[in-house]
């Protein structure tokens, strides 16, 4: 009898469709059966998170498909059509007709699909969309493995939602990079690697993953956590990778990449990284219509059917993606009523030659411009990118200075020294690619202008292990009418050394800004077209941000996971309006900086 190894993960949810991802322990038929809508739809007042009413006797919809095999693992992505808009529907997962989810001894509310309202509600602008986001989740099963890291904010959110009304749950969870740490593994994974490796020369470092099979272990370790499993089975998720999903400083520079390609273990590492990301994260980002036309997805399903295995096919794809940054577009777009999310790959698509460094190639940047063009169909534009666009001013100036020197502006001696500084200091954000920084500034400015411009343009990021809000304005030219913000939130679960805390606090200070300007002058750099100020933060801790978007109003809440009797709790440390018409994400009356347990 087939069993469920991983999942279910609820991924793409629209007005009438949903996709559910699973891994099974053998080939089988995977069926997802949605029950009748729960009473109250998406606005039930049940405080416990329970169903809020009888599920009824009929089924709203069901769908099934066969698994496909990759490197001996069996996967399925089930597309469920025909769901009623604006409804909350419990669902079950069956393998070869036998129910496997929810578990018989679950002891928690059923997993549900909450579909988006239809166009009439979206046009009226009366629908509320809640978007929770963060990045950098280092997985350590068991508190004994990570006593100094503190509570996991995602796990704490899962426990919090289990006792909260469904109307307060996020409509989508954005995971903005470092979903797994391939280069900083847990003690349990180190033991697994030691038991698997032969110790022969040429293998990857003993404390880092080496291939596809070891990547699958990271996903099992992260997503089999009971709280996370319940959360991801009910809250739709959108994902994008960052460097630790492959290796620290991934694609920092041309010299870095040449050095990595010279190691005997890099090729298997990057091929396994791309292939496992495509299977576990990327596929679920796509809509049913995109899946229907995705040639690689069709080829993988065909190659992995029956006794076949699609890993050789995925290896070929991964090799093309590694060799040519333009071979694959990892960026994608999602619409949630009148809220548009454009998720941007800021790692794999980089152009690294020093005389033409770009975060995105021209095709990728043109695609981004098209997706962000205001056409009256969205009231809020969210641009997700793992790396912050607007950094503390001193850090921004240091990165632009370093980029100029690495390009040879002060001669070859300075270029060699600056490359070492770049790697040692992790100077590889948008500011380290000045042309791309300005190109993104142009995209944001264009999106915020004109009669059809959205009320807000928010750049959502993680990576830098603290949280802050920065408000942007333009120094010259036509200024956007939309409110523009950089919203940065990380880590979900990781440590922040004291030196990093001090550095980022100082990075916003006036003396540090003076030092940054001096560096910019030394590198013969121009001032950026955008000016920005920090309006909240920095906040340090394991944390998540939530945007609440209703009509043209936007509110923001930042919550941190903190130890408490009976288990960790979410404490609100920031609650504010971003645009007129609403308080923070918890509703009117929230006070910025007032701790509140939730």
């Amino acid at each position: 009898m087939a069993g469920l190894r991983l999942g279910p993960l609820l991924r793409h949810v629209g007005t009438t469709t949903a996709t559910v991802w699973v891994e099974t322990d053998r080939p089988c038929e995977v069926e997802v059966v949605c029950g009748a809508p729960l009473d109250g739809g998406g606005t039930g007042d049940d405080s416990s998170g329970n169903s809020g009413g009888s599920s009824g006797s009929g089924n709203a919809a069901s769908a099934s498909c066969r698994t496909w095999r990759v490197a001996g693992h069996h996967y399925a992505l089930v597309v469920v059509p025909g769901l009623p808009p604006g409804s909350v529907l419990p669902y079950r997962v069956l393998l070869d007709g036998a129910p496997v989810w929810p578990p018989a001894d679950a002891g928690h509310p059923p997993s549900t699909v909450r579909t988006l309202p239809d166009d009439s509600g979206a046009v009226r602008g009366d629908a509320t969309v809640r978007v929770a986001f963060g990045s950098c989740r280092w997985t350590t099963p068991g508190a004994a493995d990570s006593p100094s890291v503190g509570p996991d904010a995602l796990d704490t959110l899962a426990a919090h939602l289990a006792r909260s009304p469904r109307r307060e749950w996020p409509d989508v969870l954005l995971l903005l990079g470092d979903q797994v740490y391939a280069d900083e593994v847990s003690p349990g994974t180190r033991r697994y690697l030691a038991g698997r490796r032969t110790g022969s020369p040429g293998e990857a470092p003993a404390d880092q993953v080496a291939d596809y099979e070891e990547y699958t272990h990271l996903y099992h370790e992260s997503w089999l956590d009971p709280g996370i499993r319940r959360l991801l089975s009910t809250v739709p998720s959108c994902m994008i990778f960052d460097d630790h999903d492959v290796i620290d400083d991934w694609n920092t520079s041309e010299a870095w990449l040449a050095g990595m390609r010279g190691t005997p273990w890099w090729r298997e590492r990057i091929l396994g990284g791309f292939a496992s990301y495509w299977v576990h994260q990327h596929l679920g980002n796509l809509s049913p219509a995109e899946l229907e036309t995705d040639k690689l997805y069709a080829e993988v399903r065909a190659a992995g059917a029956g006794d076949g295995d699609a890993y050789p096919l995925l290896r070929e794809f991964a090799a093309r993606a590694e060799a040519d940054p333009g071979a694959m577009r990892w960026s994608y777009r999602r619409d949630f009523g009148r809220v548009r999310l454009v998720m941007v790959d800021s790692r794999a698509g980089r152009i690294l030659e020093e005389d033409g460094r770009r975060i995105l190639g021209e095709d990728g940047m043109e695609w981004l411009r098209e997706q962000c063009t205001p056409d009256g169909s969205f009231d809020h534009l969210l641009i997700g990118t793992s790396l912050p666009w607007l950094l503390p001013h001193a850090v921004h100036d240091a990165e632009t200075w370093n980029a100029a020197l690495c390009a040879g502006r002060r001669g070859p001696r300075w270029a060699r020294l600056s490359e070492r500084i770049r790697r040692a200091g992790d100077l590889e954000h948008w500011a380290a690619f000045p042309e791309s920084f300005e190109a993104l500034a142009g995209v944001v400015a264009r999106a915020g202008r004109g009669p059809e411009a959205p009320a807000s343009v928010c750049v959502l990021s993680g990576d830098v292990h603290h949280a802050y809000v920065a408000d942007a304005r333009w120094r010259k030219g036509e200024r956007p009418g939309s409110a523009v913000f950089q919203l940065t939130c990380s880590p979900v679960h990781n440590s922040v050394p004291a030196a990093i805390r001090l550095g980022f606090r100082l990075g916003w200070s006036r003396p540090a800004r003076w030092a940054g300007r001096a560096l910019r002058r030394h590198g013969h750099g121009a001032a950026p077209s955008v000016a920005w100020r920090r309006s909240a933060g920095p906040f340090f801790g394991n944390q998540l941000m939530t945007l609440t978007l209703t009509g043209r109003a936007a509110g923001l809440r930042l919550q941190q996971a903190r130890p408490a009797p009976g288990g960790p709790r979410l404490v609100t440390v920031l609650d504010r309006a971003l645009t007129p018409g609403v308080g923070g994400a918890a509703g009117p009356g929230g006070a910025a900086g007032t701790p509140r347990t939730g």
Side-chain angles (χ1 to χ4, degrees):
M1 181 169 145
L4 194 62
R5 289 199 69 195
L6 197 57
L9 272 72
L10 181 63
R11 297 303 311 273
H12 189 287
V13 175
T15 56
T16 61
T17 61
T19 64
V20 177
W21 181 98
V22 298
E23 181 188 351
T24 65
D25 61 6
R26 65 192 66 190
C28 62
E29 186 81 9
V30 180
E31 184 179 12
V32 176
V33 180
C34 293
L38 300 175
D39 290 352
T43 59
D45 288 329
D46 55 307
S47 60
S48 66
N50 292 317
S51 64
S54 170
S55 62
S57 58
N59 291 328
S62 66
S64 64
C65 69
R66 293 293 299 179
T67 56
W68 33 273
R69 189 195 322 254
V70 175
H73 294 259
H74 307 278
Y75 306 99
L77 184 62
V78 182
V79 178
V80 186
L83 302 175
S87 300
V88 179
L89 306 104
Y91 73 88
R92 298 176 295 139
V93 178
L94 296 82
L95 304 184
D96 287 337
V100 295
W101 187 269
D105 59 348
H108 58 78
S111 297
T112 56
V113 175
R114 180 164 51 174
T115 55
L116 298 175
D118 60 19
D119 289 343
S120 61
V123 169
R124 289 197 307 269
D126 57 5
T128 292
V129 177
R130 289 181 176 85
V131 180
F133 64 96
S135 79
C136 307
R137 181 172 178 260
W138 185 64
T139 306
T140 51
D145 285 342
S146 58
S148 64
V149 176
D152 184 333
L154 210 56
D155 227 343
T156 307
L157 174 66
H160 172 73
L161 295 184
R163 55 180 181 265
S164 301
R166 291 188 189 275
R167 56 186 166 78
E168 296 181 2
W169 290 21
D171 294 287
V172 64
L173 177 64
L174 309 185
L175 300 176
L176 296 170
D178 297 343
Q179 277 66 264
V180 294
Y181 276 69
D183 56 341
E184 296 178 16
V185 300
S186 70
T189 295
R190 283 199 293 271
R191 292 189 290 270
Y192 160 78
L193 295 179
R196 183 173 187 265
R197 301 281 177 83
T198 64
S200 60
E203 285 190 321
D207 58 350
Q208 300 185 27
V209 303
D211 57 20
Y212 184 91
E213 182 63 30
E214 293 177 0
Y215 269 103
T216 66
H217 176 86
L218 295 182
Y219 286 105
H220 288 184
E221 181 180 61
S222 180
W223 291 352
L224 278 177
D225 173 285
I228 300 302
R229 198 173 191 183
R230 292 195 300 271
L231 177 70
L232 295 180
S233 74
T234 291
V235 179
S237 53
C238 296
M239 307 180 188
I240 196 71
F241 45 29
D242 199 27
D243 56 345
H244 290 285
D245 288 275
V246 175
I247 192 170
D248 189 26
D249 298 339
W250 178 30
N251 281 348
T252 289
S253 67
E254 186 178 22
W256 179 93
L257 184 58
M260 294 306 298
R261 285 174 171 170
T263 63
W265 49 267
W266 171 248
R267 182 169 176 78
E268 280 305 310
R269 169 72 156 273
I270 188 63
L271 297 188
F274 272 132
S276 63
Y277 175 79
W278 185 89
V279 169
H280 293 82
Q281 298 192 50
H282 177 72
L283 267 186
N285 294 328
L286 304 181
S287 69
E290 289 168 324
L291 291 170
E292 196 63 36
T293 59
D294 191 290
K295 182 180 177 182
L296 179 61
Y297 180 50
E299 291 175 345
V300 166
R301 293 180 67 185
D307 295 329
D309 195 302
Y311 188 58
L313 179 66
L314 276 180
R315 271 180 59 89
E316 293 177 8
F317 154 75
R320 293 193 301 272
E322 197 274 340
D324 177 8
M328 175 67 181
R329 192 185 73 230
W330 301 103
S331 303
Y332 58 94
R333 185 188 113 189
R334 291 285 310 277
D335 288 336
F336 305 92
R338 293 189 60 81
V339 176
R340 173 163 295 180
L341 166 69
V342 182
M343 193 76 89
V344 180
D345 160 36
S346 54
R347 281 289 174 187
R350 295 180 173 191
I351 309 299
L352 296 178
E353 291 81 0
E354 289 295 344
D355 60 352
R357 277 170 59 86
R358 308 281 192 282
I359 289 273
L360 293 171
E362 187 50 46
D363 288 347
M365 188 58 70
E366 183 57 34
W367 176 88
L368 178 59
R369 292 188 192 100
E370 291 174 1
Q371 308 311 311
C372 296
T373 300
D375 57 6
S377 66
F378 52 93
D379 289 323
H380 301 276
L381 173 63
L382 312 180
I383 300 176
T385 167
S386 62
L387 303 176
W389 172 50
L390 304 178
L391 288 162
H393 299 96
V395 178
H396 175 95
D397 287 335
E399 294 202 3
T400 56
W401 163 78
N402 177 262
L405 269 57
C406 285
R409 195 164 294 178
R410 283 282 184 173
R413 185 176 178 183
W414 271 106
R416 290 190 296 271
L417 174 62
S418 297
E419 176 62 29
R420 292 197 293 271
I421 294 172
R422 174 155 62 189
R423 297 194 209 178
D426 288 343
L427 306 182
E428 36 98 36
H429 300 85
W430 285 87
F433 297 76
E435 186 166 329
S436 294
F437 176 92
E438 290 296 337
L440 181 54
V443 169
V444 171
R446 182 170 178 253
R449 294 184 189 132
E452 296 183 323
S456 71
V457 179
C458 299
V459 179
L460 314 182
S461 307
D463 180 70
V464 290
H465 287 207
H466 69 292
Y468 62 90
V469 179
D471 308 350
R473 59 183 175 82
W474 268 249
R475 299 180 188 276
K476 57 185 179 180
E478 184 184 353
R479 298 180 180 181
S482 304
V484 178
F485 302 96
Q486 168 72 64
L487 306 178
T488 301
C489 182
S490 76
V492 169
H493 186 230
N494 213 314
S495 61
V496 186
I500 291 180
R501 293 176 182 245
L502 178 62
F504 279 117
R505 288 188 188 279
L506 291 176
W508 292 105
S509 67
R510 183 170 296 178
R513 294 183 70 171
W514 294 337
R517 288 170 186 157
L519 287 176
R520 191 200 310 153
R521 287 193 296 270
H522 180 261
H524 303 302
S529 61
V530 182
W532 61 98
R533 67 178 183 89
R534 178 193 50 161
S535 58
F539 301 96
F540 297 95
N542 294 328
Q543 49 205 350
L544 287 163
M545 278 183 175
T546 301
L547 278 167
T548 298
L549 307 163
T550 304
R552 294 182 68 81
L556 175 70
R557 179 175 59 196
L558 174 67
Q559 293 180 299
Q560 295 183 338
R562 296 183 181 174
R569 307 286 284 187
L570 290 177
V571 175
T572 299
V573 297
L574 177 68
D575 202 351
R576 60 169 280 191
L578 294 179
T579 63
V582 71
T594 303
R596 184 170 67 254
T597 301

